Amino acid sequence: QVQLVESGGGLVQAGGSLRLSCAEVSGRTPTRSAMGWFRQAAGKEREFVATINWSCILRYYGDSVKDRFTISRDNAKNTVYLQMNSLKPEDTAVYYCALNRDYVSRVPNDYDYWGQGTVVTVSL
């Protein structure tokens, strides 16, 4: 019913920037949901990156990305973004967007729908 499609991943040098997008695709009008970004590096658990509510008033970030990443959304386009600046090699991971029908959360299990992920590789 709800599909999330990430894009914008790729290879970037340390210190560079990248902007990820996540488009919401659904057969019905999307709900006024919260959106989140998570990432999972090889051999590690899925890590919270950022979340944002429908009105963009509530925005939270993981400690490892605060002051470097910015989450935003354009509801008219059914799209959420993750602007990543000052990238570090440790940011290398598969990045996933996710949708929560009710509230913002830092917990992966709270989310109702997930995208397939987009790969971000940060080299030295």
Side-chain angles (χ1 to χ4, degrees):
Q1 182 177 353
V2 176
Q3 295 183 20
L4 305 176
V5 182
E6 302 99 334
S7 63
L11 176 64
V12 64
Q13 190 173 346
S17 298
L18 210 59
R19 191 190 196 196
L20 306 183
S21 299
C22 175
E24 303 174 31
V25 181
S26 63
R28 300 182 295 183
T29 302
T31 59
R32 297 182 182 272
S33 60
M35 298 294 298
W37 285 98
F38 294 81
R39 67 187 184 185
Q40 188 164 19
K44 296 184 178 180
E45 295 182 341
R46 189 160 298 188
E47 177 188 13
F48 169 73
V49 175
T51 186
I52 186 171
N53 74 334
W54 177 263
S55 65
C56 304
I57 295 176
L58 299 178
R59 288 171 289 179
Y60 302 104
Y61 299 92
D63 290 340
S64 62
V65 305
K66 62 182 180 181
D67 301 322
R68 297 189 298 120
F69 291 10
T70 302
I71 188 171
S72 61
R73 67 192 300 169
D74 186 339
N75 292 329
K77 298 181 179 179
N78 295 326
T79 302
V80 63
Y81 305 96
L82 184 68
Q83 178 66 47
M84 305 184 294
N85 298 325
S86 302
L87 284 163
K88 306 174 181 179
E90 50 263 45
D91 294 319
T92 296
V94 179
Y95 283 71
Y96 300 89
C97 68
L99 182 151
N100 184 302
R101 290 174 293 185
D102 299 303
Y103 54 90
V104 295
S105 174
R106 312 169 83 95
V107 181
N109 196 50
D110 287 342
Y111 286 79
D112 301 295
Y113 302 97
W114 291 83
Q116 293 183 331
T118 184
V119 178
V120 172
T121 302
V122 184
S123 64
L124 292 172

